[in-house]
Amino acid sequence: QGTASSFKDEDDLGPGPLWFRVVFQPRVAVRKSPSLDSPSLAFLDAGDIIEASQLREGWVKLSNEEQESRGVSDDCDAWVLQDGRAVSLGVLLEPFEPSWFRVVHKPQIAVRKSSSVEAPAVAFLAYGELLEAAEVRGGWVRCSEAERQRQDISADCGSWALINGRAK
């Protein structure tokens, strides 16, 4: 896990989501564009965790799913200042990697032998179940050893679940 300054700016964060935790007290503004002069659309409280789709010049763009869950209209973008040191605010968001994921697809998702939608399923997780992750890579979650045991997946077999099926 890096620090806020260890991420370089990118227009696209590549395959899979990236998460941040709000560390600035008491809250940060979600803005319509990556500018302090842009109007605020919403606020995030310290401790909130957000999913990002882009990182640009110290600003984080909320993913479509995050934007929807925060009640931000889908007809505009939603940006949060990540690194405010240039304007004497300090770091507002720090990188965060979740270790638990909840299945939100009905009725179930496949846990696959490798991180490919073409790989055979080795187990299934029902809607609402929690998955403990050992690793998050390229839009996929690798099950932890404890999760593999709970799902009765053998040690010599892969165990990957797709994070966002809409993206594939």
Side-chain angles (χ1 to χ4, degrees):
Q1 188 170 355
T3 63
S5 60
S6 69
F7 284 89
K8 65 179 193 172
D9 288 348
E10 301 175 28
D11 271 343
D12 181 0
L13 293 176
L18 185 64
W19 295 274
F20 291 87
R21 177 185 293 143
V22 177
V23 294
F24 188 80
Q25 297 282 343
R27 62 187 185 167
V28 297
V30 177
R31 299 187 181 274
K32 191 171 184 173
S33 64
S35 165
L36 291 173
D37 295 327
S38 182
S40 296
L41 303 171
F43 292 94
L44 303 170
D45 294 324
D48 283 357
I49 296 174
I50 59 168
E51 182 181 327
S53 62
Q54 289 182 20
L55 179 60
R56 185 187 313 157
E57 298 174 1
W59 289 83
V60 171
K61 183 177 186 274
L62 299 185
S63 69
N64 292 339
E65 292 82 4
E66 187 71 37
Q67 197 168 316
E68 182 180 322
S69 75
R70 301 284 176 176
V72 177
S73 173
D74 62 359
D75 65 347
C76 63
D77 289 338
W79 292 86
V80 180
L81 183 62
Q82 185 240 346
D83 186 346
R85 289 179 284 192
V87 290
S88 300
L89 292 174
V91 174
L92 284 70
L93 308 175
E94 67 181 10
F96 177 82
E97 187 168 295
S99 57
W100 290 92
F101 292 80
R102 182 176 306 280
V103 176
V104 296
H105 179 75
K106 291 181 181 178
Q108 64 187 9
I109 64 164
V111 177
R112 300 192 176 274
K113 188 171 185 173
S114 64
S115 56
S116 166
V117 293
E118 304 299 321
V122 296
F124 292 92
L125 297 172
Y127 172 80
E129 279 191 75
L130 288 176
L131 164 70
E132 183 180 15
E135 175 183 7
V136 178
R137 183 177 60 201
W140 291 81
V141 173
R142 183 172 58 84
C143 296
S144 69
E145 184 58 36
E147 187 66 38
R148 293 166 64 90
Q149 289 175 1
R150 277 193 292 278
Q151 299 299 326
D152 197 26
I153 301 171
S154 67
D156 62 340
C157 186
S159 58
W160 292 86
L162 185 60
I163 294 173
N164 181 351
R166 287 190 254 178
K168 297 289 177 195

